[in-house]
Amino acid sequence: MLLDGPPGIGKSVWSRELGRHLGVPRCGIEGTAEQASFVVNGSQRGWGSAFPGRPLQTIVQSLCANPIVVIDEIEKAGTPTSTKGQTYGLAEGLLPLLERSSAVAWKCPYYQVGFDMSWISWVLTSNSLGTLPAPFLSRLEILHLVGPGKGDLISFAEREGARRGLSDAALGAICEVIDQIAEAHELNLRHVSRMLTRAEVMASSLQLH
C-alpha cells in the first residue's frame, strides 16, 4: 500500500509501528537517502561493494518470509543515472517485486538464484504522487490521507501530554496556542509533538533548579 498525504500527519510512525504490533520483522528504507534501486534489488557479485537487497537480507536474517518493508518518502528518491545512461530508480527497481506474478520467482542479482518475494508486505509513504510513474502506481493500493484538524490536534496534545506527565497548566497553554494558530499556520502532529517536547524540557529544567 501507499500512504499519500501531507507531511507531519503520522504516516511514518504508523508504518514503523505496524511491524511491531503484527510481530513480524521490519525493514526500513528512506527514499531521501537510498535513491538507487540497489537498496531493494541488490547488486551483482564481482564488484567489491556487491550486496543483496535489504528486503532479502531481512528475510534471510530473520528466517521470516513475510516481513514488512517500509519505504518512506518514495517520491523523493529520484532516478540516478550511470555514466552509460542507464537508470537505476528506486521506483523502477520495485516494479517486479510489487507484481505478485514476478515476485514469486524473483531472481536476486547477488545470489543469482530465485526467491519467492511475494509474501512481503510493502508499506510506502509519499507527500505527493506527481513524480511517481504510472506503472509503479498501478501496482499499489493508494490511500489518500488528509491532515488532522484543529480538534484532532488538541485531542492529540491532551492525550500525549497526559502520557508524558505534563501539568494541566502546560497542557492548557499548548491547547490554547493550537486553538489560536492551527488554521493560519497549518499545524501538524510533528509541530504539536515539538511543543510537547519543549514543555517537557522546560518542566524538567524547573525541577532541577
Side-chain angles (χ1 to χ4, degrees), residues 148-150 153 176-188 191 195:
K150 181 168 62 177
L153 294 173
E176 184 176 351
V177 170
I178 295 172
D179 183 58
Q180 292 180 359
I181 70 171
E183 295 175 358
H185 293 272
E186 297 184 357
L187 292 185
N188 57 42
H191 295 132
M195 292 182 193

Side-chain angles (χ1 to χ4, degrees), residues 78-190:
T79 306
T81 305
S82 71
T83 55
K84 296 182 179 180
Q86 292 180 300
T87 58
Y88 300 95
L90 182 54
E92 287 77 11
L94 283 166
L95 293 180
L97 291 167
L98 295 175
E99 190 74 58
R100 185 173 182 83
S101 59
S102 53
V104 73
W106 179 78
K107 186 176 181 180
C108 172
Y110 181 80
Y111 290 114
Q112 289 295 301
V113 294
F115 289 88
D116 184 355
M117 306 289 277
S118 64
W119 297 98
I120 294 176
S121 295
W122 298 91
V123 181
L124 291 75
T125 74
S126 69
N127 297 328
S128 171
L129 302 179
T131 60
L132 296 172
F136 172 74
L137 294 175
S138 69
R139 288 165 167 79
L140 294 164
E141 178 183 0
I142 303 173
L143 302 180
H144 299 283
L145 308 176
V146 297
K150 181 168 62 177
D152 300 318
L153 294 173
I154 291 175
S155 296
F156 170 75
E158 291 174 340
R159 185 173 62 254
E160 180 64 12
R163 187 188 69 81
R164 298 188 188 198
L166 293 179
S167 67
D168 291 341
L171 279 177
I174 291 173
C175 291
E176 184 176 351
V177 170
I178 295 172
D179 183 58
Q180 292 180 359
I181 70 171
E183 295 175 358
H185 293 272
E186 297 184 357
L187 292 185
N188 57 42
L189 295 177
R190 189 173 293 135

